[in-house]
Amino acid sequence: MQQGSTGNARQGFLLMHMMFFLSVACILIVMPFIELAGIRTGGSGKAIPPRRVYIDILCALFTVGLLLALTGNPVVSLLVAVLFEVIFVSVSNIKYKILGEPLLFSDLFVARSFLQHPKFYLFSIPWYARVFVVVFLLFLVVGAFFFVVPDIRPHLVGIAMTVLGLLGIHALPAARWVPTPALEQDLQRFGLPGITFLYWRQWKASPIPPAVPPLPGSAAYDAVVVIQCESFADPACLPLPASVGPVAMPGLTQARRWAVQQGELQVSGFGAYTMRSEYGVLYGRTEAELGFRAFDPFLTAMQESSYALPNRLKGAGYESVFVHPHDIRFYNRNLLMPACGFGRMIGPEAYGHTASADMPYVSDMALGKSIETLVRSASGPIMVHAVTMENHGPWAASSQPAQGLANYLRHLGNSDRMLLDLMHALSGMDRNILLVFYGDHRPSIPGVFTPGAARDVPYVAVSLPAGRPDDQATSPPVALSPAGLHALIVQLAVKPA
């Protein structure tokens, strides 16, 4: 009997030491190796920065410790930690391939949007990755019932590991290591977990800018119409297959002829990040001024509402209307837009749209008609800011790039037709109208359009009804940032006091 007890004790001792060495190996070697070897970056550096390894070890210590504190099961904790690291790296690589950026701290806030509108995100995730995530989540649920160890000691060890990891992460000198965002370089130097924690710390420490007053002066126009067009790009600037040939854009061509100013809008996002372009045009703050807030400026926009175009134009007598034929809760617009100074919001319920395969979202033509009605019925100076929806992806399954391109170009043609029809409709009114039209970003269609250095989209600022003669040469293009377009709108829309 005593020999049996001694044998069990020896086995327990050996098992404890084996788990200790496995844990050390997982924290010091396996998880850092997954991050270092697996993460996709745009750089070509070969050297492994010591700080990156150090941060990977701290994050591994925290992850394994947290799981051990919850389950008390070392085997399950190590296995789930490794699987989580694989998922973390894989999702970041998928995003990098499609959008040209790794996972960021700001992406963690997308969870709510994902639950509300999963089709916006699921189309970009390969089927095998979806299956893997489902199996992983089921494993976690099952593990909560069958793998939790009642012995308190491993839980206490896990708590100690979690606290040590947190203390180490908290001690990282974020302000010294990443004083300003440099995403590609920082991903190389600090790794994916590193930029997640360091950037989040710097984002939290970002100062709130001082408030600004409404602009003095009077309205230079009876109406200012600003349209942000989903995925609108000039086909002549896109790497279209030779089989497609030239794509006619009569609306954009006419708008460029009539424009008081036109050119390239230099946006930072590719295939997504509508909110960056929208924020820049609405608020007029550059990404350099925003710093770490630039990755998702809508997260902190409530603190900067005095900069918003409607609030600034109030002093000149403009009443403002926000139009978006999709769920207004997306990006928290239902709260943000009233704070911006919009006195009225028009959402999808105004259109009575029934989704179909050919037209999943409200058509741009329908949106253009509603803008025309708003301007025609206005009794005083009005500013209309519209965000279109028709040309939002997915345009087809990821396995059908040619079909995706065809659908994209069809919807792009509808957007161009809306621009042309709206210009003629507004020109026929006995009013002075400023029409500003721009794209939010280029489309991302795997197998057709992939992230690159060129990310510009067109913008036009057209003064109606005067316009420019059709036979007059297009004005020279002027490249602007979204914040620069904001400044142009202010310059044109307000007569100084």
Side-chain angles (χ1 to χ4, degrees):
M1 189 72 175
Q2 187 176 359
Q3 287 181 349
S5 300
T6 303
N8 290 338
R10 185 180 294 112
Q11 288 179 356
F13 181 78
L14 290 174
L15 182 61
M16 180 181 69
H17 278 74
M18 184 180 69
M19 293 311 306
F20 171 78
F21 286 115
L22 281 174
S23 300
V24 170
C26 181
I27 292 169
L28 296 182
I29 301 174
V30 177
M31 292 179 68
F33 175 79
I34 292 171
E35 195 279 325
L36 286 164
I39 199 65
R40 180 193 294 266
T41 69
S44 57
K46 300 293 184 181
I48 299 175
R51 289 184 292 188
R52 179 171 175 176
V53 178
Y54 174 62
I55 296 172
D56 284 347
I57 291 172
L58 286 176
C59 293
L61 179 65
F62 169 77
T63 305
V64 173
L66 181 61
L67 290 166
L68 187 59
L70 293 172
T71 67
N73 190 320
V75 175
V76 171
S77 298
L78 294 175
L79 180 59
V80 172
V82 170
L83 288 174
F84 178 79
E85 185 79 354
V86 170
I87 291 173
F88 190 41
V89 168
S90 299
V91 172
S92 183
N93 286 343
I94 290 170
K95 184 192 170 194
Y96 195 95
K97 180 180 179 181
I98 295 172
L99 303 181
E101 290 186 8
L103 275 180
L104 296 165
F105 70 93
S106 53
D107 293 321
L108 300 177
F109 296 94
V110 175
R112 177 184 173 188
S113 299
F114 179 85
L115 294 174
Q116 290 175 342
H117 303 285
K119 68 178 179 179
F120 278 10
Y121 307 95
L122 284 176
F123 79 94
S124 61
I125 302 174
W127 67 267
Y128 54 84
R130 301 183 208 178
V131 172
F132 183 84
V133 170
V134 170
V135 171
F136 178 66
L137 292 175
L138 287 174
F139 177 79
L140 291 181
V141 173
V142 172
F145 290 96
F146 295 101
F147 298 132
V148 174
V149 174
D151 187 353
I152 192 64
R153 288 174 296 178
H155 294 274
L156 294 176
V157 172
I159 292 172
M161 292 169 64
T162 304
V163 171
L164 283 174
L166 275 177
L167 289 175
I169 292 168
H170 182 72
L172 296 175
R176 182 159 56 87
W177 285 3
V178 288
T180 57
L183 191 54
E184 285 289 348
Q185 297 92 320
D186 289 339
L187 183 59
Q188 287 278 344
R189 292 187 296 170
F190 305 110
L192 185 60
I195 63 168
T196 301
F197 283 102
L198 293 171
Y199 276 33
W200 176 76
R201 289 261 302 279
Q202 287 293 79
W203 174 75
K204 290 285 288 183
S206 299
I208 301 173
V212 293
L215 291 164
S218 58
Y221 287 90
D222 299 307
V224 174
V225 177
V226 181
I227 301 176
Q228 176 173 288
C229 194
E230 175 64 41
S231 300
F232 188 88
D234 185 351
C237 298
L238 296 176
L240 293 171
S243 58
V244 173
V247 177
M249 298 286 282
L252 182 60
T253 302
Q254 179 88 319
R256 283 171 168 167
R257 287 191 185 128
W258 285 5
V260 294
Q261 187 169 314
Q262 57 87 23
E264 299 173 353
L265 192 67
Q266 298 169 329
V267 301
S268 64
F270 179 91
Y273 293 117
T274 291
M275 83 295 272
R276 294 181 187 173
S277 306
E278 187 173 351
Y279 174 94
V281 175
L282 272 179
Y283 286 77
R285 299 188 68 220
T286 65
E287 294 192 353
E289 291 172 321
L290 286 167
F292 292 90
R293 292 185 169 195
F295 297 111
D296 189 345
F298 271 19
L299 292 176
T300 49
M302 289 289 283
Q303 300 172 348
E304 304 161 12
S305 57
S306 66
Y307 289 80
L309 198 57
N311 281 332
R312 302 224 69 196
L313 293 182
K314 278 181 180 177
Y318 288 98
E319 295 295 326
S320 298
V321 181
F322 177 72
V323 184
H324 182 45
H326 192 62
D327 192 342
I328 298 291
R329 297 171 299 168
F330 212 76
Y331 295 139
N332 235 18
R333 288 190 181 104
N334 58 318
L335 301 176
L336 185 57
M337 294 307 162
C340 285
F342 287 103
R344 183 181 172 194
M345 294 193 298
I346 299 175
E349 62 282 349
Y351 296 89
H353 173 69
T354 300
S356 65
D358 288 340
M359 193 65 66
Y361 305 107
V362 173
S363 74
D364 285 354
M365 291 298 294
L367 178 68
K369 290 292 185 184
S370 68
I371 293 172
E372 179 186 342
T373 301
L374 276 172
V375 173
R376 193 181 300 276
S377 61
S379 58
I382 185 174
M383 197 278 280
V384 178
H385 176 66
V387 178
T388 76
M389 197 63 200
E390 176 179 337
N391 212 5
H392 198 292
W395 295 278
S398 58
S399 60
Q400 300 173 296
Q403 185 61 49
L405 175 60
N407 289 339
Y408 169 75
L409 292 176
R410 175 169 57 85
H411 291 301
L412 181 68
N414 292 339
S415 302
D416 184 75
R417 187 157 60 97
M418 179 262 283
L419 173 61
L420 184 63
D421 288 359
L422 188 58
M423 282 193 301
H424 287 300
L426 297 178
S427 294
M429 298 182 189
D430 187 22
R431 302 180 182 212
N432 294 317
I433 300 167
L434 174 65
L435 172 62
V436 177
F437 184 95
Y438 66 96
D440 58 350
H441 53 71
R442 293 189 178 193
S444 176
I445 304 177
V448 182
F449 303 135
T450 55
R455 301 190 174 191
D456 59 273
V457 289
Y459 80 89
V460 289
V462 184
S463 185
L464 301 168
R468 298 167 60 87
D470 285 348
D471 59 351
Q472 189 167 340
T474 301
S475 60
V478 178
L480 290 178
S481 68
L485 185 55
H486 170 101
L488 176 65
I489 294 169
V490 168
Q491 175 189 338
L492 296 173
V494 178
K495 294 178 183 177

